[in-house]
Structure formats: structure tokens, C-alpha cells
Amino acid sequence: MSVDRLAGLLDEYGELEKRLADPAIHADQNTARRVGRRFAELAPIRKANDELEQARADLTAARELAAEDPSFAAEAESLAAALPALEERLAELLMPRDPHDAKDVILEIKAGEGGEESALFAGDLLRMYTRYAERHGWVTEVIDAQDSDLGGVKDVSLAVKTRGVPDGGNGVWSRLKWEGGVHRVQRVPVTESQGRIHTSAAGVLVLPEAEDVDVSIDPGDIRVDVFRSSGPGGQSVNTTDSAVRITHLPTGIVVSCQNEKSQLQNREQAMRILRARLLAAAQEEADAAASDARKAQVRTVDRSERIRTYNFPQNRISDHRIGYTAYNLDLALAGELDGVLDALTEADRAARLAGETELSRH
């Protein structure tokens, strides 16, 4: 355990506590939320350190009393036996954590090969994540979506947010960051007349939602084009040029938004997605420059990499990164994803405790 790191974090906790006690900080809700999130991240460390210090003080007192009264010897032994677990807990909390764990996310789902069946599966994934968010009391917002003819989605961007400050600094990203990659489905499509099982896939990208302080975008670095919104099959759904396409010239990143009725609203939504993508790109570049830094899964996601299979005939969900298999696909699609997400989180924790840089994603 790094004594200097612990002291620094405890000092930071004290400073944040003072800032939050100052009514002036709440005049800027973005600043208050950012400070509150960091305070929540450090609160478990402060609590674990207090518990450890109290246990050590109690042990010292019990040993002193045991020297005069043998009846305190058993209490001293019990306190001594409890110390290693408290020390391990604090050491684990002091390990470098994902800097984005407290953040909200923008989740993008894109239909892959498989035509309408892939679009229908992408719609299933959208409902699965929306229901999971509802179970956790999170707020969801469809930023942009392109529907398919049969009720699926070709491409959708979904914002998922916590209400208020996430407990312990564990926000939406800390749970959904594992979802980036290719999701494969095996089932009989509604368009299949012979009853044959088909395999198709959809790609998922999870981005930590960037705040203005995370990413600075020079207005001169973007090109904004407007066009007319269109719906399934290409038909026009808007008689004005309200849809917006933003191109970030230095990186070539292109973002389009057409869900909102006004051009201004679509531009704001597109900028949200652009900031998130630029933040992810900057983090990926930083990770590549520092090979010993822990890489977050979604920042290194390869869309050709299959991470999970949803087998309808067997009611089976399998995560290929950790060998997880469960026969409760119906429940998972209804939003009960904690089984697989807990397994992924535990595998990552074990990898970090073993000194590995990251959970293997392949």
C-alpha cells in the first residue's frame, strides 16, 4: 500500500468536502456534479482507512488490557485476525481505477451483416440496455436512430445517465463499458419461411460521455452540413433541412443526427456524440503511448471481435472473453444483465490483483 498515495487521496477528499460545503459551488451545476462525483469516488477509501485505523487502535488497546487482564486476550486475537482483510480492502481501493467509471455513457448500436434480421437484433439489444437501465434507476435518451422497415434499428445512439451522483463513483460506465464489441445472435428469423436457424450480428460501441472540460473543440475544426431527415425505406419524414452532419476535420470523425425537429437541437446532439468519440480517441492514443497503462475495453474494441453470443433455441447467453455461459437468455434480454456483468467485473478485478494490465477482451 502506498502511504504517500493514501495521504494524497485523503487530503483531496478533505478539500472536496470543503468545496461541497460551500454554497457557491452549486451555482454551477456542472462543476458541482463533477466535484460530487470525485468526492463519491474517494468516500470508500476514506471509510476503509477510518475502519482500519480504528481496528488498529482497538487492537493496541486490547493488547494493553490483556497484559493486565487475560480475559482481553481473545478480543485481541479476534481484532488481529480481522486486520488483514481490512488492509486488503484498502489496498484494493488504492489500485488505479478506470478514470471514467463515474461517467455516463453514449451507447451506439449498429446493425451488421444479416439485413433486416440484424436490424431486428439491434432493436432487441436497444430494448435490453434500456430495460437494464430502468432496473438501475438510470435515465435513457435516444439521441439519434435510423429505424428499419420491420421495426428494428439500423443505427441508434442511446445516452444512459445516473440520477445524481453515482454511489462510490460507480456510474454507468463502470457497468456498461464491457459491452463494446460484436454481439452475435443465433435464431430463426421472422423472415425465414423454412424454419432454419440463421446467424447475424450487431456492433455495440460504448463511449464515456464527455463534458465540456474533457474535450475542447475548435469551431474552425468542424464542418457542418445540413440535409433532410429520412425514415425507413428512405422516405422523407421532414420537409425542412433539419438533419445535421458534423465532420471533425483533424480526425475525419463524422457524426449525423436527425431525430430532433430543429436543426439547432440536432447540432447539439451531434456535438455530444462527437465530444464522446474525441474523448475515446484521445484516451486510446494515451493508452498506446503508455503501454503499462490499463486500457478500457471499449477504447480498444475491434468491431470484428465477437464478444458474446445469444442463442435463442437453447435460451443461452455466452460471453467468449471469460467463458461465461448461462441459460437465461430470456431474462437477459428483459434487462437482467447483472449476472454476466458481475462476472466480467470480477474477472477484471482478479486480473488487476494478479498484476495484469487489463482483463483479456478476446
Side-chain angles (χ1 to χ4, degrees), residues 75-133:
E75 182 179 350
E77 289 181 8
S78 176
L79 289 168
L83 279 182
L86 294 173
E87 290 170 345
E88 182 180 349
R89 169 63 176 159
L90 181 57
E92 184 178 331
L93 288 171
L94 287 174
M95 293 177 62
R97 66 180 294 170
D98 189 322
H100 299 309
D101 270 353
K103 287 186 178 293
D104 299 323
V105 308
I106 292 177
L107 191 149
E108 299 182 6
I109 306 171
K110 298 181 184 295
E113 296 179 359
E116 279 294 338
E117 164 61 7
S118 178
L120 288 170
F121 177 51
D124 291 337
L125 293 177
L126 173 62
R127 284 185 290 276
M128 179 180 76
Y129 292 125
T130 301
R131 289 165 179 168
Y132 181 74

Short mmCIF file of all heavy atoms in Angstrom, two decimals, residues 75-133:
data_model
loop_
_atom_site.label_atom_id
_atom_site.label_comp_id
_atom_site.label_asym_id
_atom_site.label_seq_id
_atom_site.Cartn_x
_atom_site.Cartn_y
_atom_site.Cartn_z
N GLU A 75 -10.13 -11.14 22.68
CA GLU A 75 -10.54 -9.98 21.89
C GLU A 75 -9.39 -9.46 21.05
O GLU A 75 -9.57 -9.10 19.87
CB GLU A 75 -11.05 -8.86 22.81
CG GLU A 75 -11.54 -7.65 22.04
CD GLU A 75 -12.07 -6.54 22.95
OE1 GLU A 75 -12.23 -6.79 24.16
OE2 GLU A 75 -12.31 -5.43 22.43
N ALA A 76 -8.18 -9.47 21.63
CA ALA A 76 -7.01 -9.01 20.89
C ALA A 76 -6.74 -9.93 19.70
O ALA A 76 -6.42 -9.47 18.59
CB ALA A 76 -5.79 -8.96 21.81
N GLU A 77 -6.88 -11.24 19.89
CA GLU A 77 -6.67 -12.19 18.80
C GLU A 77 -7.70 -11.98 17.69
O GLU A 77 -7.38 -12.05 16.50
CB GLU A 77 -6.76 -13.61 19.34
CG GLU A 77 -5.58 -14.02 20.22
CD GLU A 77 -5.71 -15.46 20.70
OE1 GLU A 77 -6.64 -16.15 20.22
OE2 GLU A 77 -4.89 -15.87 21.54
N SER A 78 -8.95 -11.73 18.07
CA SER A 78 -10.01 -11.52 17.08
C SER A 78 -9.74 -10.26 16.26
O SER A 78 -9.91 -10.27 15.03
CB SER A 78 -11.35 -11.41 17.80
OG SER A 78 -12.39 -11.12 16.87
N LEU A 79 -9.32 -9.20 16.93
CA LEU A 79 -9.01 -7.95 16.22
C LEU A 79 -7.81 -8.12 15.29
O LEU A 79 -7.80 -7.62 14.17
CB LEU A 79 -8.74 -6.83 17.23
CG LEU A 79 -9.97 -6.32 18.00
CD1 LEU A 79 -9.54 -5.45 19.17
CD2 LEU A 79 -10.87 -5.53 17.06
N ALA A 80 -6.81 -8.87 15.75
CA ALA A 80 -5.62 -9.10 14.93
C ALA A 80 -5.98 -9.92 13.68
O ALA A 80 -5.44 -9.68 12.59
CB ALA A 80 -4.55 -9.81 15.75
N ALA A 81 -6.88 -10.86 13.85
CA ALA A 81 -7.28 -11.71 12.72
C ALA A 81 -8.07 -10.92 11.68
O ALA A 81 -8.08 -11.27 10.49
CB ALA A 81 -8.12 -12.88 13.23
N ALA A 82 -8.75 -9.84 12.10
CA ALA A 82 -9.57 -9.05 11.18
C ALA A 82 -8.75 -8.04 10.39
O ALA A 82 -9.20 -7.55 9.34
CB ALA A 82 -10.67 -8.32 11.95
N LEU A 83 -7.55 -7.72 10.86
CA LEU A 83 -6.75 -6.67 10.21
C LEU A 83 -6.38 -6.98 8.75
O LEU A 83 -6.49 -6.10 7.89
CB LEU A 83 -5.48 -6.40 11.01
CG LEU A 83 -5.61 -5.49 12.23
CD1 LEU A 83 -4.26 -5.28 12.88
CD2 LEU A 83 -6.22 -4.15 11.84
N PRO A 84 -5.92 -8.20 8.42
CA PRO A 84 -5.51 -8.45 7.03
C PRO A 84 -6.61 -8.17 6.02
O PRO A 84 -6.34 -7.62 4.94
CB PRO A 84 -5.13 -9.94 7.05
CG PRO A 84 -4.71 -10.20 8.45
CD PRO A 84 -5.62 -9.36 9.29
N ALA A 85 -7.86 -8.52 6.34
CA ALA A 85 -8.96 -8.27 5.40
C ALA A 85 -9.18 -6.77 5.20
O ALA A 85 -9.45 -6.31 4.08
CB ALA A 85 -10.24 -8.93 5.91
N LEU A 86 -9.07 -6.00 6.29
CA LEU A 86 -9.24 -4.54 6.19
C LEU A 86 -8.10 -3.93 5.38
O LEU A 86 -8.32 -3.01 4.57
CB LEU A 86 -9.29 -3.93 7.59
CG LEU A 86 -10.51 -4.30 8.44
CD1 LEU A 86 -10.35 -3.76 9.86
CD2 LEU A 86 -11.79 -3.75 7.80
N GLU A 87 -6.89 -4.43 5.60
CA GLU A 87 -5.73 -3.91 4.85
C GLU A 87 -5.85 -4.26 3.36
O GLU A 87 -5.53 -3.43 2.50
CB GLU A 87 -4.45 -4.50 5.43
CG GLU A 87 -4.12 -3.97 6.82
CD GLU A 87 -2.99 -4.73 7.50
OE1 GLU A 87 -2.65 -5.86 7.03
OE2 GLU A 87 -2.46 -4.23 8.50
N GLU A 88 -6.33 -5.48 3.06
CA GLU A 88 -6.50 -5.88 1.67
C GLU A 88 -7.58 -5.03 0.98
O GLU A 88 -7.42 -4.64 -0.18
CB GLU A 88 -6.88 -7.36 1.60
CG GLU A 88 -7.05 -7.87 0.18
CD GLU A 88 -7.42 -9.35 0.13
OE1 GLU A 88 -7.34 -10.02 1.17
OE2 GLU A 88 -7.80 -9.81 -0.97
N ARG A 89 -8.65 -4.75 1.72
CA ARG A 89 -9.73 -3.93 1.16
C ARG A 89 -9.21 -2.54 0.81
O ARG A 89 -9.48 -2.02 -0.28
CB ARG A 89 -10.87 -3.83 2.18
CG ARG A 89 -11.95 -2.81 1.85
CD ARG A 89 -12.69 -3.13 0.59
NE ARG A 89 -13.77 -2.21 0.33
CZ ARG A 89 -14.31 -2.01 -0.86
NH1 ARG A 89 -13.87 -2.67 -1.92
NH2 ARG A 89 -15.30 -1.16 -1.03
N LEU A 90 -8.44 -1.93 1.70
CA LEU A 90 -7.91 -0.59 1.43
C LEU A 90 -6.92 -0.63 0.29
O LEU A 90 -6.92 0.26 -0.58
CB LEU A 90 -7.26 -0.03 2.69
CG LEU A 90 -6.68 1.40 2.58
CD1 LEU A 90 -7.75 2.38 2.13
CD2 LEU A 90 -6.08 1.83 3.91
N ALA A 91 -6.06 -1.64 0.25
CA ALA A 91 -5.08 -1.76 -0.83
C ALA A 91 -5.77 -1.89 -2.18
O ALA A 91 -5.34 -1.32 -3.18
CB ALA A 91 -4.17 -2.96 -0.58
N GLU A 92 -6.88 -2.64 -2.21
CA GLU A 92 -7.63 -2.81 -3.45
C GLU A 92 -8.23 -1.48 -3.90
O GLU A 92 -8.22 -1.15 -5.09
CB GLU A 92 -8.72 -3.86 -3.25
CG GLU A 92 -9.50 -4.18 -4.51
CD GLU A 92 -10.55 -5.25 -4.28
OE1 GLU A 92 -10.35 -6.10 -3.40
OE2 GLU A 92 -11.57 -5.22 -4.99
N LEU A 93 -8.76 -0.72 -2.96
CA LEU A 93 -9.35 0.58 -3.30
C LEU A 93 -8.31 1.57 -3.80
O LEU A 93 -8.63 2.49 -4.56
CB LEU A 93 -10.07 1.16 -2.07
CG LEU A 93 -11.37 0.47 -1.66
CD1 LEU A 93 -11.85 1.00 -0.32
CD2 LEU A 93 -12.45 0.68 -2.73
N LEU A 94 -7.06 1.38 -3.38
CA LEU A 94 -5.99 2.30 -3.78
C LEU A 94 -5.40 1.94 -5.14
O LEU A 94 -4.61 2.72 -5.68
CB LEU A 94 -4.88 2.30 -2.72
CG LEU A 94 -5.22 3.01 -1.42
CD1 LEU A 94 -4.10 2.83 -0.40
CD2 LEU A 94 -5.48 4.49 -1.65
N MET A 95 -5.78 0.79 -5.68
CA MET A 95 -5.30 0.44 -7.01
C MET A 95 -5.85 1.43 -8.03
O MET A 95 -6.98 1.90 -7.89
CB MET A 95 -5.74 -0.98 -7.39
CG MET A 95 -5.11 -2.07 -6.57
SD MET A 95 -5.76 -3.70 -7.04
CE MET A 95 -5.25 -3.78 -8.76
N PRO A 96 -5.06 1.79 -9.04
CA PRO A 96 -5.56 2.72 -10.07
C PRO A 96 -6.86 2.21 -10.67
O PRO A 96 -6.95 1.05 -11.07
CB PRO A 96 -4.43 2.74 -11.11
CG PRO A 96 -3.21 2.37 -10.33
CD PRO A 96 -3.68 1.38 -9.30
N ARG A 97 -7.86 3.05 -10.71
CA ARG A 97 -9.14 2.66 -11.27
C ARG A 97 -9.36 3.33 -12.60
O ARG A 97 -8.67 4.28 -12.98
CB ARG A 97 -10.28 3.03 -10.30
CG ARG A 97 -10.48 4.52 -10.09
CD ARG A 97 -11.63 4.76 -9.11
NE ARG A 97 -12.91 4.34 -9.66
CZ ARG A 97 -14.02 4.27 -8.95
NH1 ARG A 97 -14.02 4.58 -7.67
NH2 ARG A 97 -15.16 3.89 -9.51
N ASP A 98 -10.33 2.83 -13.33
CA ASP A 98 -10.68 3.42 -14.61
C ASP A 98 -11.14 4.86 -14.36
O ASP A 98 -12.09 5.08 -13.60
CB ASP A 98 -11.81 2.61 -15.24
CG ASP A 98 -12.11 3.02 -16.67
OD1 ASP A 98 -12.07 4.22 -16.96
OD2 ASP A 98 -12.41 2.12 -17.49
N PRO A 99 -10.48 5.85 -14.96
CA PRO A 99 -10.83 7.24 -14.68
C PRO A 99 -12.24 7.63 -15.13
O PRO A 99 -12.75 8.67 -14.72
CB PRO A 99 -9.77 8.04 -15.46
CG PRO A 99 -9.31 7.11 -16.54
CD PRO A 99 -9.38 5.74 -15.93
N HIS A 100 -12.87 6.80 -15.95
CA HIS A 100 -14.20 7.13 -16.46
C HIS A 100 -15.32 6.40 -15.71
O HIS A 100 -16.49 6.54 -16.10
CB HIS A 100 -14.30 6.81 -17.95
CG HIS A 100 -13.34 7.58 -18.80
ND1 HIS A 100 -13.22 8.95 -18.74
CD2 HIS A 100 -12.43 7.16 -19.73
CE1 HIS A 100 -12.28 9.35 -19.59
NE2 HIS A 100 -11.80 8.29 -20.19
N ASP A 101 -15.01 5.64 -14.68
CA ASP A 101 -16.01 4.80 -14.03
C ASP A 101 -17.24 5.57 -13.54
O ASP A 101 -18.33 5.02 -13.48
CB ASP A 101 -15.39 4.02 -12.86
CG ASP A 101 -14.84 2.68 -13.30
OD1 ASP A 101 -15.05 2.31 -14.47
OD2 ASP A 101 -14.18 2.00 -12.49
N ALA A 102 -17.06 6.84 -13.17
CA ALA A 102 -18.19 7.61 -12.65
C ALA A 102 -19.02 8.26 -13.75
O ALA A 102 -20.07 8.84 -13.47
CB ALA A 102 -17.68 8.69 -11.70
N LYS A 103 -18.59 8.14 -14.99
CA LYS A 103 -19.24 8.87 -16.08
C LYS A 103 -20.50 8.19 -16.59
O LYS A 103 -20.70 6.98 -16.44
CB LYS A 103 -18.25 9.06 -17.24
CG LYS A 103 -17.16 10.08 -16.98
CD LYS A 103 -16.34 10.30 -18.23
CE LYS A 103 -15.27 11.36 -18.02
NZ LYS A 103 -15.87 12.70 -17.83
N ASP A 104 -21.34 9.00 -17.23
CA ASP A 104 -22.46 8.49 -18.01
C ASP A 104 -21.91 8.02 -19.35
O ASP A 104 -20.72 8.21 -19.65
CB ASP A 104 -23.49 9.60 -18.22
CG ASP A 104 -24.06 10.12 -16.90
OD1 ASP A 104 -24.24 9.30 -15.98
OD2 ASP A 104 -24.31 11.33 -16.79
N VAL A 105 -22.75 7.39 -20.17
CA VAL A 105 -22.26 6.86 -21.43
C VAL A 105 -23.17 7.22 -22.59
O VAL A 105 -24.35 7.54 -22.41
CB VAL A 105 -22.09 5.32 -21.40
CG1 VAL A 105 -21.28 4.87 -20.20
CG2 VAL A 105 -23.44 4.60 -21.43
N ILE A 106 -22.58 7.16 -23.78
CA ILE A 106 -23.35 7.14 -25.02
C ILE A 106 -23.09 5.78 -25.64
O ILE A 106 -21.95 5.39 -25.89
CB ILE A 106 -22.93 8.26 -25.98
CG1 ILE A 106 -23.33 9.63 -25.41
CG2 ILE A 106 -23.58 8.06 -27.36
CD1 ILE A 106 -22.90 10.80 -26.26
N LEU A 107 -24.16 5.04 -25.84
CA LEU A 107 -24.08 3.67 -26.34
C LEU A 107 -24.60 3.66 -27.78
O LEU A 107 -25.72 4.10 -28.04
CB LEU A 107 -24.92 2.78 -25.43
CG LEU A 107 -24.83 1.27 -25.55
CD1 LEU A 107 -25.06 0.64 -24.18
CD2 LEU A 107 -25.85 0.76 -26.54
N GLU A 108 -23.77 3.19 -28.70
CA GLU A 108 -24.15 3.13 -30.10
C GLU A 108 -24.32 1.68 -30.54
O GLU A 108 -23.46 0.84 -30.24
CB GLU A 108 -23.09 3.81 -30.98
CG GLU A 108 -22.89 5.28 -30.65
CD GLU A 108 -21.86 5.95 -31.57
OE1 GLU A 108 -21.40 5.27 -32.51
OE2 GLU A 108 -21.52 7.11 -31.33
N ILE A 109 -25.42 1.39 -31.19
CA ILE A 109 -25.70 0.05 -31.68
C ILE A 109 -25.91 0.14 -33.19
O ILE A 109 -26.72 0.95 -33.65
CB ILE A 109 -26.95 -0.56 -31.02
CG1 ILE A 109 -26.84 -0.51 -29.49
CG2 ILE A 109 -27.18 -1.99 -31.50
CD1 ILE A 109 -28.13 -0.89 -28.77
N LYS A 110 -25.19 -0.69 -33.94
CA LYS A 110 -25.29 -0.67 -35.39
C LYS A 110 -25.57 -2.07 -35.90
O LYS A 110 -24.89 -3.03 -35.52
CB LYS A 110 -23.98 -0.15 -36.01
CG LYS A 110 -23.63 1.28 -35.62
CD LYS A 110 -22.34 1.72 -36.28
CE LYS A 110 -21.94 3.13 -35.82
NZ LYS A 110 -22.91 4.14 -36.26
N ALA A 111 -26.57 -2.18 -36.76
CA ALA A 111 -26.87 -3.46 -37.39
C ALA A 111 -25.71 -3.85 -38.29
O ALA A 111 -25.09 -3.00 -38.93
CB ALA A 111 -28.16 -3.36 -38.20
N GLY A 112 -25.40 -5.15 -38.31
CA GLY A 112 -24.30 -5.62 -39.14
C GLY A 112 -24.81 -6.43 -40.31
O GLY A 112 -25.89 -6.17 -40.85
N GLU A 113 -24.03 -7.44 -40.69
CA GLU A 113 -24.46 -8.30 -41.79
C GLU A 113 -25.69 -9.10 -41.36
O GLU A 113 -25.78 -9.53 -40.23
CB GLU A 113 -23.33 -9.24 -42.18
CG GLU A 113 -22.09 -8.51 -42.72
CD GLU A 113 -20.99 -9.49 -43.07
OE1 GLU A 113 -21.19 -10.71 -42.87
OE2 GLU A 113 -19.92 -9.03 -43.51
N GLY A 114 -26.61 -9.28 -42.27
CA GLY A 114 -27.81 -10.03 -41.93
C GLY A 114 -29.09 -9.30 -42.27
O GLY A 114 -30.18 -9.78 -41.98
N GLY A 115 -28.97 -8.11 -42.87
CA GLY A 115 -30.15 -7.39 -43.33
C GLY A 115 -31.14 -7.07 -42.24
O GLY A 115 -30.77 -6.61 -41.16
N GLU A 116 -32.43 -7.33 -42.52
CA GLU A 116 -33.49 -7.00 -41.57
C GLU A 116 -33.33 -7.75 -40.25
O GLU A 116 -33.65 -7.23 -39.19
CB GLU A 116 -34.85 -7.29 -42.19
CG GLU A 116 -35.36 -6.21 -43.11
CD GLU A 116 -35.65 -4.91 -42.39
OE1 GLU A 116 -35.86 -4.92 -41.17
OE2 GLU A 116 -35.67 -3.86 -43.06
N GLU A 117 -32.85 -8.99 -40.31
CA GLU A 117 -32.69 -9.77 -39.08
C GLU A 117 -31.67 -9.11 -38.16
O GLU A 117 -31.84 -9.04 -36.95
CB GLU A 117 -32.26 -11.20 -39.41
CG GLU A 117 -31.69 -12.01 -38.26
CD GLU A 117 -32.64 -12.21 -37.09
OE1 GLU A 117 -33.84 -11.83 -37.20
OE2 GLU A 117 -32.20 -12.71 -36.05
N SER A 118 -30.59 -8.59 -38.73
CA SER A 118 -29.58 -7.90 -37.93
C SER A 118 -30.16 -6.63 -37.32
O SER A 118 -29.89 -6.30 -36.16
CB SER A 118 -28.37 -7.55 -38.80
OG SER A 118 -27.42 -6.83 -38.05
N ALA A 119 -31.00 -5.92 -38.09
CA ALA A 119 -31.63 -4.70 -37.58
C ALA A 119 -32.61 -5.03 -36.46
O ALA A 119 -32.72 -4.30 -35.47
CB ALA A 119 -32.32 -3.95 -38.70
N LEU A 120 -33.32 -6.14 -36.58
CA LEU A 120 -34.24 -6.56 -35.52
C LEU A 120 -33.46 -6.92 -34.26
O LEU A 120 -33.89 -6.61 -33.14
CB LEU A 120 -35.07 -7.76 -35.99
CG LEU A 120 -36.14 -7.45 -37.04
CD1 LEU A 120 -36.72 -8.74 -37.60
CD2 LEU A 120 -37.25 -6.58 -36.44
N PHE A 121 -32.32 -7.58 -34.43
CA PHE A 121 -31.48 -7.93 -33.28
C PHE A 121 -30.92 -6.67 -32.62
O PHE A 121 -30.85 -6.58 -31.40
CB PHE A 121 -30.35 -8.87 -33.71
CG PHE A 121 -29.40 -9.22 -32.61
CD1 PHE A 121 -29.86 -9.71 -31.39
CD2 PHE A 121 -28.03 -9.06 -32.79
CE1 PHE A 121 -28.97 -10.05 -30.37
CE2 PHE A 121 -27.14 -9.38 -31.78
CZ PHE A 121 -27.61 -9.88 -30.56
N ALA A 122 -30.52 -5.69 -33.44
CA ALA A 122 -30.04 -4.42 -32.88
C ALA A 122 -31.14 -3.77 -32.04
O ALA A 122 -30.88 -3.19 -30.98
CB ALA A 122 -29.60 -3.49 -34.01
N GLY A 123 -32.39 -3.90 -32.51
CA GLY A 123 -33.51 -3.39 -31.73
C GLY A 123 -33.68 -4.14 -30.42
O GLY A 123 -34.01 -3.55 -29.38
N ASP A 124 -33.44 -5.46 -30.45
CA ASP A 124 -33.50 -6.26 -29.22
C ASP A 124 -32.45 -5.78 -28.22
O ASP A 124 -32.71 -5.70 -27.02
CB ASP A 124 -33.27 -7.74 -29.54
CG ASP A 124 -34.42 -8.37 -30.31
OD1 ASP A 124 -35.55 -7.83 -30.23
OD2 ASP A 124 -34.19 -9.39 -30.97
N LEU A 125 -31.24 -5.50 -28.72
CA LEU A 125 -30.17 -5.03 -27.84
C LEU A 125 -30.53 -3.67 -27.24
O LEU A 125 -30.28 -3.42 -26.05
CB LEU A 125 -28.85 -4.93 -28.61
CG LEU A 125 -28.23 -6.26 -29.07
CD1 LEU A 125 -26.96 -5.99 -29.88
CD2 LEU A 125 -27.92 -7.17 -27.89
N LEU A 126 -31.12 -2.80 -28.06
CA LEU A 126 -31.54 -1.50 -27.57
C LEU A 126 -32.53 -1.65 -26.42
O LEU A 126 -32.41 -1.00 -25.37
CB LEU A 126 -32.16 -0.68 -28.70
CG LEU A 126 -32.81 0.66 -28.31
CD1 LEU A 126 -31.77 1.60 -27.70
CD2 LEU A 126 -33.49 1.29 -29.52
N ARG A 127 -33.53 -2.51 -26.59
CA ARG A 127 -34.51 -2.75 -25.52
C ARG A 127 -33.86 -3.38 -24.30
O ARG A 127 -34.20 -3.04 -23.16
CB ARG A 127 -35.64 -3.63 -26.04
CG ARG A 127 -36.63 -2.88 -26.94
CD ARG A 127 -37.79 -3.75 -27.33
NE ARG A 127 -37.39 -4.80 -28.26
CZ ARG A 127 -37.30 -4.63 -29.58
NH1 ARG A 127 -37.58 -3.45 -30.12
NH2 ARG A 127 -36.95 -5.63 -30.37
N MET A 128 -32.89 -4.27 -24.50
CA MET A 128 -32.21 -4.92 -23.40
C MET A 128 -31.47 -3.89 -22.53
O MET A 128 -31.59 -3.90 -21.30
CB MET A 128 -31.21 -5.95 -23.94
CG MET A 128 -30.41 -6.69 -22.86
SD MET A 128 -29.23 -7.88 -23.58
CE MET A 128 -27.94 -6.76 -24.18
N TYR A 129 -30.74 -3.00 -23.17
CA TYR A 129 -30.00 -1.99 -22.42
C TYR A 129 -30.94 -0.97 -21.77
O TYR A 129 -30.68 -0.50 -20.66
CB TYR A 129 -28.99 -1.29 -23.32
CG TYR A 129 -27.86 -2.18 -23.76
CD1 TYR A 129 -27.56 -2.35 -25.11
CD2 TYR A 129 -27.10 -2.89 -22.82
CE1 TYR A 129 -26.53 -3.19 -25.52
CE2 TYR A 129 -26.06 -3.73 -23.23
CZ TYR A 129 -25.79 -3.87 -24.58
OH TYR A 129 -24.78 -4.70 -24.98
N THR A 130 -32.02 -0.64 -22.47
CA THR A 130 -32.98 0.30 -21.90
C THR A 130 -33.63 -0.30 -20.65
O THR A 130 -33.79 0.38 -19.62
CB THR A 130 -34.07 0.65 -22.93
OG1 THR A 130 -33.46 1.23 -24.09
CG2 THR A 130 -35.06 1.64 -22.35
N ARG A 131 -33.98 -1.58 -20.70
CA ARG A 131 -34.60 -2.23 -19.54
C ARG A 131 -33.60 -2.39 -18.40
O ARG A 131 -33.96 -2.27 -17.23
CB ARG A 131 -35.16 -3.59 -19.96
CG ARG A 131 -36.39 -3.47 -20.85
CD ARG A 131 -36.73 -4.78 -21.55
NE ARG A 131 -37.92 -4.66 -22.38
CZ ARG A 131 -38.31 -5.57 -23.26
NH1 ARG A 131 -37.59 -6.68 -23.43
NH2 ARG A 131 -39.40 -5.39 -23.98
N TYR A 132 -32.34 -2.67 -18.76
CA TYR A 132 -31.32 -2.76 -17.71
C TYR A 132 -31.17 -1.41 -17.00
O TYR A 132 -31.05 -1.35 -15.78
CB TYR A 132 -29.98 -3.19 -18.32
CG TYR A 132 -28.87 -3.33 -17.30
CD1 TYR A 132 -28.84 -4.41 -16.42
CD2 TYR A 132 -27.86 -2.37 -17.19
CE1 TYR A 132 -27.83 -4.55 -15.48
CE2 TYR A 132 -26.86 -2.49 -16.25
CZ TYR A 132 -26.85 -3.59 -15.39
OH TYR A 132 -25.86 -3.71 -14.45
N ALA A 133 -31.16 -0.35 -17.79
CA ALA A 133 -31.06 0.99 -17.20
C ALA A 133 -32.24 1.27 -16.28
O ALA A 133 -32.07 1.84 -15.18
CB ALA A 133 -31.00 2.04 -18.32
#
